Amino acid sequence: MSATQNKTGGMHPTTTGPLSFGSVKPNQGLQNAAKKSRADIIAEISASGMKGRGGAGFPTGVKWNLAAAAQDSTKYVICNADEGEPGTFKDRVILSEYSDLVFEGMTIAGLAIGARQGIVYLRGEYSYLRPLLEAVLERRRTQELLGESILGREGFSFDITIRMGSGAYVCGEETALIESLEGQRGEPRNRPPFPVDTGYMGHPTVVNNVETLAWAACILAKGAAWFKGIGTDKSTGLKLFSISGDCERPGVYEFPMGISISELLREVGGEDAKAVQVGGASGHCVPAKSFARTLAYEDIPTGGSIIVLGPGRDMLGIARNFLEFFVEESCGQCTPCRAGTVKLLEGVELLQEGRCSMKYLRELCALGETMQLASKCGLGQSSPNAFLSIVKEFQDEIMGRTDLAAAGKE
Amino acid sequence: MLVTEQDALRQEIKAWGDMYGRDRTALIPILQEIQRKHARISEYAMQIVADMLDIHPVEVYGVVSFYSFLDHKPKGRFVIRLCRTISCDMHDKDRVARQLQNDLGIRFGETTPDGRFTLEWANCIGMCDQGPALLVNDHVFTRVTPDKVHDILEGCRRAMGVHAQEQMQEQLV
C-alpha cells in the first residue's frame, strides 16, 4: 500500500498487473540521455515508434523534433496530468507509484528540446497527490537530478513546478491546458499554430501525457529496439490500460499494443461482456461480435480507458450518461458542440421514452456526424462517438422502447 | 463585510500575489488559495485580485465561473462531490446519492443552512475501479455504500475545528 493510500484513508488500493515501470533502473534513462547529443535523444525516441499515450496518438519523436527545431531561447515541457477521461485512472497510479519516472521523462524532454522549465498540470481532483509529488521533486533537486548542471552536464538546467487544475475536463486538451496555465478560461485554441511552435506564453512547448513521459524514460534506459520489438508495426511498445466496469478484476494493466479485446477480457475476468466501451466517453462502443478487434492505432485507438459492459446493461443508459457528461463539460465556445450535445441528449431521452421516429434518429446521427466535422476541438469532435456507435450496433435494443421507467426522470 | 475583514482579505491576497507573482499566470493559483481559505470567491475578492493583476474584474469573473472548483457563491466547510460518471453510475451511485440527500437534508447543488456541507456532482474523479467514489474536499472515499454515508458525514462533523483537515485524516483512517 502506498503512502497516498494510507493518507487518504477512504481509498482502496488499485489492482495492478505487473508493470515494466517497476523493473527500470532509476535514472538510467536520464544518465544515458545526459551522454547523448540532443539530436541523438530525439532519434532514439523516434526509432522506438512511440505514439502519444494520451489517446490522440501523435508520434512523440516528431513532436520533440518540431519543438527542438523551433528557434527560441525559452521553451517549456508540460506534463498533461489532467486525466479526466471517464474510465481512465492509469495516470493516477503512475503518479502515485512511479512519479520519479515521469519527472525523469520530463527532464529528458527538456534536454532534448532545449527547455529549462517543466510544468506538471495536475487535475484538481488529484490534489491529494500534490504533497507526495512535491516531496519527490525536492528529493530530486537534492540529488542534482533537477536544477543547474544536471548530472554534471554543462548547461543542462531544468526544474519542474506543479500547477493545479480546477475541475474542467476540457483542460486535458493541450491548447485549453495552456490557456488555463496562462490564467484564462480553459477554452481550446485554433490549431495551427501548434504548441510546439506557439505554446505556453507564446513559446515552443511540448505537451505530453504522464504515461508518454514515463515510457520515454524507459526507452532511454532500455533502448528503442526493446520498445519497438513489442506490439505491432504501426503501434509499438507497451501500454497501460485502465479497466473498470463489469469484470472480476478491475485495475491498471500493462499489455502490448495490438492486444485483442477478447484477450484483454480474459485477463480481467470479463468474458461474458455484452460490449466494451473503448476510450471512455469520447471513445467507441464495441459489441461482443467485434471482440477480435485489436487495441492499436491502426484498429481501435485508445488512451487506455476500457469500460466493460456486462450482459444486463442498458446501452441507452450508457449513451445518456456520456451525453450528460459532455453537456456539462463542453466549454461552450463553438456551436456544434455546445448545442449538439444538448440535442443528442434530448434524443436519448426521446428514445428512452419510446417516442423517437426512425427519421428523427437519422437526423440525430447526421447531427452527430456534423459535430465530428465542425467542432473546434477534440472534445466536440469526439462527443457524439459513443452515441453513434451505440445507435449503429444496438439499434434493435434502443428503438420502440415501452419501458417508461427507464426514462428515469426524478 | 466589516472593514477589518476587508482589510484582512486585502492583505491575504497581497501576500498570495507576492508568492505567485502579479501577472496573469498567477490568477488561477491566487483564486485557488482564496477558494480554499474562504470556501468562495466574493465579488470584493475578485475586485482586489483584478486591481492587483491590472486586469478587468470581468476577466476574473469569467475565470471563476468557468471552473467547477472555483465558486462565487458561498460553499460549505465540507464540499462533497459524488462521481456520477459511468463506472460509478454502474455501481449504484444513485443509492449513495439518495442517502447523502437523506442524511444532509439537501439536494445536489445546495449547502446546508449551518454552512457545513455542500453537496455536488463530480464528473469522473479517476476512481473507476473502485466506485462509487466521492471527494470530501481533497479526500477520496471509494466503494462507498449507502450505509457508509453516515460514517463519512460523522467524520466531517467531528473534525470541525481549527485543524479540520488533519483531524479528518486521522479519524477516518
Side-chain angles (χ1 to χ4, degrees), chain A residues 10 12 92 123 167 185 244 329, chain B residues 62 67-68 87 123-124 126 142:
Chain A
H12 297 81
R92 164 173 64 78
R123 68 185 305 217
R185 295 161 65 89
S244 66
E329 293 294 348
Chain B
Y67 294 95
S68 58
S87 297
N123 286 327
C124 192
T142 60

Side-chain angles (χ1 to χ4, degrees), chain A residues 315-336:
Chain A
M315 301 312 290
L316 215 41
I318 307 287
R320 183 187 173 125
N321 186 284
F322 286 148
L323 285 166
E324 285 172 342
F325 175 84
F326 283 119
V327 167
E328 174 75 17
E329 293 294 348
S330 170
C331 79
Q333 193 183 185
C334 74
T335 311

Side-chain angles (χ1 to χ4, degrees), chain B residues 13-58:
Chain B
I13 291 173
K14 290 261 181 297
W16 286 320
D18 293 339
M19 187 159 46
Y20 294 109
R22 286 165 198 250
D23 57 75
R24 181 80 192 234
T25 59
L27 175 61
I28 292 176
I30 292 170
L31 294 176
Q32 286 167 338
E33 294 283 1
I34 299 170
Q35 180 76 46
R36 179 182 293 274
K37 175 102 190 266
H38 297 281
R40 72 177 295 203
I41 300 165
S42 63
E43 280 172 13
Y44 185 74
M46 288 190 227
Q47 181 69 57
I48 300 171
V49 173
D51 289 346
M52 186 171 74
L53 303 183
D54 198 22
I55 53 178
H56 198 283
V58 165

Side-chain angles (χ1 to χ4, degrees), chain A residues 213-264:
Chain A
L213 290 161
W215 284 123
C218 295
I219 289 165
L220 265 297
K222 297 173 107 167
W226 158 76
F227 198 80
K228 200 172 169 53
I230 306 167
T232 70
D233 283 350
K234 285 181 180 156
S235 308
T236 59
L238 297 156
K239 170 94 190 77
L240 265 54
F241 292 88
S242 315
I243 297 161
S244 66
D246 300 317
C247 60
E248 285 164 30
R249 296 177 292 279
V252 172
Y253 292 82
E254 177 185 287
F255 295 122
M257 295 295 290
I259 187 174
S260 72
I261 294 174
S262 51
E263 281 174 83
L264 182 142

Side-chain angles (χ1 to χ4, degrees), chain A residues 6-8 10-12 14 84 86-89 92 123-128 163-168 170-171 180-186 200-201 244-246 250 307-309 313 318 321-322 325 328-329 331 410, chain B residues 20 23-29 32 36 59 61-63 65-70 84-87 89-91 93-94 98 101 122-130 135 137-143 148 169 172-173:
Chain A
N6 281 327
K7 218 158 76 182
T8 46
M11 184 172 156
H12 297 81
T14 289
T88 313
F89 46 97
R92 164 173 64 78
R123 68 185 305 217
E125 290 85 344
Y126 288 175
S127 53
Y128 55 88
R163 291 280 303 272
M164 300 305 301
S166 255
V170 70
C171 289
S180 178
L181 283 176
E182 291 180 1
Q184 309 283 345
R185 295 161 65 89
Y200 180 57
M201 305 306 286
S244 66
D246 300 317
I307 301 162
V308 184
L309 305 170
R313 291 293 165 193
I318 307 287
N321 186 284
F322 286 148
F325 175 84
E328 174 75 17
E329 293 294 348
C331 79
E410 277 200 338
Chain B
Y20 294 109
D23 57 75
R24 181 80 192 234
T25 59
L27 175 61
I28 292 176
Q32 286 167 338
R36 179 182 293 274
E59 292 277 333
Y61 182 79
V63 168
S65 61
F66 184 86
Y67 294 95
S68 58
F69 284 12
L70 302 177
R84 66 176 159 193
T85 311
I86 191 74
S87 297
D89 185 59
M90 285 162 62
H91 287 98
K93 68 106 177 47
D94 281 339
R98 174 83 62 175
Q101 294 185 109
N123 286 327
C124 192
I125 60 171
M127 291 291 154
C128 322
D129 57 324
Q130 34 189 304
L135 281 166
N137 296 346
D138 287 348
H139 302 275
V140 188
F141 295 87
T142 60
R143 297 205 184 106
K148 281 189 196 159
Q169 279 180 3
L172 291 173
V173 165

Side-chain angles (χ1 to χ4, degrees), chain A residues 225-383:
Chain A
W226 158 76
F227 198 80
K228 200 172 169 53
I230 306 167
T232 70
D233 283 350
K234 285 181 180 156
S235 308
T236 59
L238 297 156
K239 170 94 190 77
L240 265 54
F241 292 88
S242 315
I243 297 161
S244 66
D246 300 317
C247 60
E248 285 164 30
R249 296 177 292 279
V252 172
Y253 292 82
E254 177 185 287
F255 295 122
M257 295 295 290
I259 187 174
S260 72
I261 294 174
S262 51
E263 281 174 83
L264 182 142
L265 287 173
R266 253 198 311 282
E267 293 287 330
V268 302
E271 294 96 328
D272 62 344
K274 167 186 184 180
V276 167
Q277 179 73 21
V278 179
S282 61
H284 292 269
C285 190
V286 182
K289 66 175 186 321
S290 307
F291 282 175
R293 291 184 67 183
T294 60
L295 300 169
Y297 298 105
E298 64 270 26
D299 193 355
I300 310 175
T302 171
S305 168
I306 303 285
I307 301 162
V308 184
L309 305 170
R313 291 293 165 193
D314 172 17
M315 301 312 290
L316 215 41
I318 307 287
R320 183 187 173 125
N321 186 284
F322 286 148
L323 285 166
E324 285 172 342
F325 175 84
F326 283 119
V327 167
E328 174 75 17
E329 293 294 348
S330 170
C331 79
Q333 193 183 185
C334 74
T335 311
C337 173
R338 182 186 62 241
T341 49
V342 174
K343 293 311 282 183
L344 292 186
L345 178 58
E346 286 170 5
V348 168
E349 285 167 5
L350 280 182
L351 284 162
Q352 285 188 316
E353 292 164 17
R355 298 196 295 119
C356 185
S357 67
M358 184 57 92
K359 180 164 178 282
Y360 189 61
L361 183 63
R362 291 204 177 123
E363 282 176 19
L364 287 173
C365 290
L367 171 66
E369 284 158 21
T370 305
M371 290 161 68
Q372 287 176 327
L373 289 170
S375 296
K376 183 171 177 179
C377 80
L379 188 157
Q381 288 159 12
S382 59
S383 61

Side-chain angles (χ1 to χ4, degrees), chain A residues 74 102 109 175 221 272 364 387:
Chain A
T74 306
V102 179
T175 60
D272 62 344
L364 287 173
F387 172 81

